[in-house]
Amino acid sequence: AKVLEIARRLSRGEALRTGQEEEEEEEEGCPRHREPLEVFCKEDGALLCAICRESRAHRAHTVLPVPEAAREYKEQIQAGLQTLKDDRDKLLELREAEMRRNW
């Protein structure tokens, strides 16, 4: 759920880049260092600033630039969504066939 929420926020931020939102994003930055959030830590599922990235807690972790992480998670979510849609379609077909059989 946490990854989905981050992916949604990243996706919205990418698609809605206005001057006002960029100012809000800068204000939102890293709560600890007040730096812009530039990378995504895959192990912790968290956005990091440059200072946090170099800390001991994240130094050995795999990180991606924010747009690349958003694109990667968006693709994963879309693939999962397509699988769910396919399963739903199959279930609806089975339900319809069962209803016809009962009639």
Side-chain angles (χ1 to χ4, degrees):
K2 184 177 178 181
V3 171
L4 288 174
E5 179 57 30
I6 290 170
R8 281 188 200 115
R9 287 191 336 207
L10 292 174
S11 181
R12 281 190 301 243
E14 228 178 39
L16 304 172
R17 281 241 192 264
T18 65
Q20 180 182 359
E21 288 169 354
E22 286 181 23
E23 289 174 11
E24 289 173 4
E25 184 177 307
E26 287 175 14
E27 290 175 10
E28 288 179 7
C30 177
R32 187 183 234 174
H33 303 108
R34 303 277 189 224
E35 294 286 323
L37 301 170
E38 300 172 345
V39 294
F40 178 77
C41 176
K42 289 182 82 169
E43 280 80 355
D44 294 330
L47 294 171
L48 306 174
C49 71
I51 298 169
C52 291
R53 163 66 179 112
E54 296 304 319
S55 70
R56 282 187 224 141
H58 300 283
R59 193 176 300 154
H61 292 174
T62 303
V63 296
L64 297 171
V66 172
E68 186 178 326
R71 186 173 42 257
E72 182 178 307
Y73 284 103
K74 184 177 179 179
E75 289 170 1
Q76 289 178 7
I77 291 167
Q78 287 176 338
L81 181 60
Q82 186 59 46
T83 300
L84 290 172
K85 285 179 180 179
D86 293 344
D87 289 348
R88 182 195 65 196
D89 291 343
K90 288 177 187 175
L91 287 171
L92 289 173
E93 287 174 16
L94 287 172
R95 179 178 164 213
E96 188 177 325
E98 187 65 27
M99 288 176 68
R100 272 190 256 124
R101 193 174 68 111
N102 287 337
W103 277 99

